[in-house]
Amino acid sequence: MKMIFRKTLLYQSSVEYADYCINHVEGCAHGCKFPCYAMMMKKRCGIIKSYKEWLQPKIVANALELLDREIPRYKHKIRFVHLCFSTDPLMYKYPEVADLTLKIIDRLNMDNIRCTVLTKGIYPKVLVNTKKYGENNEYGITLISLDKEFKKRLEPYSAPYKDRIKSLKYLHNKGLKTWISMEPYPTPNLVEQDLEKILKEVSFVDKIIFGKLNYNVTSSQFGVNGDFYHNCADMVIEFCKDNGIEYHIKYGTQKKDNRKTKKIFIKNTAQDPGLKYSK
Ligand code: SF4
């Protein structure tokens, strides 16, 4: 696997998923075609030239050395670290990526820094070893469909939906916190599907985040886009309330909602009121 070296690793993010964030890989072999926002940004900045290049991930070879240097510097400010925002930490078919991700989680947890993780890959079972990995980490998968044909078109090289769910459920069954990122949720002209069926598949999780699809030409051509997302969000809210699941509807998904984003994974402390049910 190709390698790169970076000067810094930990950074503070304004994205609502994150407090501090780590992207220890450049590129992503999952190759989503929504399109992938991270790939668009890297192209715009001239860091990568093509989709083909994006598909060939390069690992940050000095990631652990950087962490050793940066953790003492930022530790007092960090509330949690998100892996990852502009790549996938458990790239399906790249065990080197999972190895480094596990080492990073271990290193952060050693300093009592909790992690939130989001993937379209498969969770390694070793994460249930809470003597090594912290029990306060939150493990999520992106799940926006159960339709294999849709996955082939839009998320061609990611892990199969059923395998993603199975690996997440394994962590849940062992007592770990799990969540679903149900975004970018596709419009019916991309795939005809039953949202409730998808929700039922993941009713075991602690938290669901739902959001619409942006930057997609086909989706924006769907005539009643606004009504569609408004109704989907209502369905998610009702489902979560009925099943005692925390939820967050990304701002702008429902009609007349132009609020700015807010932090989703902040802990429930006096300083950080956090999320119970959120709209
Ligand atoms: S998994 Fe995430 S980072 Fe990777 S291509 Fe898909 S959207 Fe982009």
Side-chain angles (χ1 to χ4, degrees):
M1 195 171 176
K2 288 183 182 164
M3 287 191 261
I4 53 167
F5 287 83
R6 289 228 176 104
K7 289 188 178 141
T8 59
L9 193 67
L10 269 169
Y11 69 98
Q12 197 162 22
S13 168
S14 57
V15 175
E16 66 267 58
Y17 275 25
D19 177 31
Y20 276 74
C21 194
I22 285 181
N23 297 301
H24 50 291
V25 184
E26 184 82 57
C28 181
H30 289 162
C32 302
K33 295 180 171 176
F34 298 108
C36 166
Y37 181 76
M39 183 190 74
M40 287 194 324
M41 290 300 112
K42 297 281 176 182
K43 264 185 169 177
R44 195 172 295 173
C45 299
I47 295 167
I48 60 144
K49 289 185 183 61
S50 62
Y51 176 69
K52 202 175 156 202
E53 191 182 342
W54 178 251
L55 286 180
Q56 294 162 357
K58 302 176 196 87
I59 211 150
V60 177
N62 60 337
L64 292 167
E65 288 86 337
L66 289 172
L67 269 188
D68 281 340
R69 214 163 64 205
E70 292 174 353
I71 286 175
R73 198 182 305 158
Y74 299 120
K75 197 178 160 184
H76 64 289
K77 290 194 218 162
I78 297 174
R79 289 179 289 186
F80 65 95
V81 172
H82 181 69
L83 292 85
C84 299
F85 185 56
S86 68
T87 185
D88 195 301
L90 297 167
M91 236 166 263
Y92 193 53
K93 296 188 177 161
Y94 275 91
E96 301 93 325
V97 174
D99 282 351
L100 182 56
T101 297
L102 288 173
K103 283 178 185 151
I104 288 174
I105 295 173
D106 182 27
R107 178 66 191 84
L108 290 163
N109 289 168
M110 244 169 64
D111 267 81
N112 289 320
I113 298 171
R114 111 189 135 96
C115 301
T116 61
V117 188
L118 180 62
T119 186
K120 286 179 186 161
I122 307 283
Y123 278 104
K125 288 187 173 172
V126 289
L127 284 167
V128 303
N129 178 0
T130 48
K131 287 197 180 96
K132 187 168 168 64
Y133 306 101
E135 54 193 359
N136 290 321
N137 298 327
E138 300 194 33
Y139 301 106
I141 58 167
T142 303
L143 190 79
I144 54 171
S145 181
L146 297 171
D147 187 305
K148 287 181 190 160
E149 282 308 310
F150 172 77
K151 191 189 104 56
K152 226 185 256 177
R153 278 188 287 128
L154 275 295
E155 301 178 4
Y157 312 115
S158 58
Y161 295 135
K162 295 279 177 202
D163 295 349
R164 277 183 226 178
I165 298 169
K166 198 174 153 198
S167 81
L168 192 71
K169 195 160 191 188
Y170 181 80
L171 300 189
H172 163 80
N173 288 343
K174 297 288 178 181
L176 296 172
K177 293 192 191 87
T178 55
W179 59 287
I180 296 290
S181 169
M182 207 170 268
E183 70 156 337
Y185 193 77
T187 44
N189 57 344
L190 281 165
V191 59
E192 284 280 356
Q193 59 182 3
D194 181 353
L195 173 57
E196 199 170 350
K197 202 172 155 198
I198 305 170
L199 289 166
K200 279 183 182 160
E201 281 290 318
V202 293
S203 60
F204 61 90
V205 298
D206 300 290
K207 188 179 299 177
I208 294 177
I209 294 163
F210 182 83
K212 67 178 186 174
L213 172 57
N214 297 307
Y215 315 111
N216 182 287
V217 177
T218 310
S219 169
S220 63
Q221 285 166 348
F222 183 66
V224 283
N225 199 315
D227 289 333
F228 171 72
Y229 281 121
H230 196 87
N231 295 337
C232 286
D234 277 347
M235 192 186 282
V236 172
I237 292 167
E238 201 183 319
F239 182 86
C240 288
K241 282 184 175 169
D242 287 350
N243 290 278
I245 299 169
E246 288 187 63
Y247 64 83
H248 175 72
I249 306 299
K250 291 283 289 285
Y251 296 163
T253 296
Q254 291 201 287
K255 287 196 277 189
K256 295 180 187 160
D257 182 2
N258 299 318
R259 289 174 292 174
K260 290 260 187 287
T261 53
K262 69 172 191 179
K263 296 290 178 185
I264 297 172
F265 284 93
I266 303 298
K267 266 200 154 180
N268 290 321
T269 64
Q271 293 78 25
D272 298 330
L275 169 83
K276 180 58 187 164
Y277 298 108
S278 167
K279 197 176 159 188

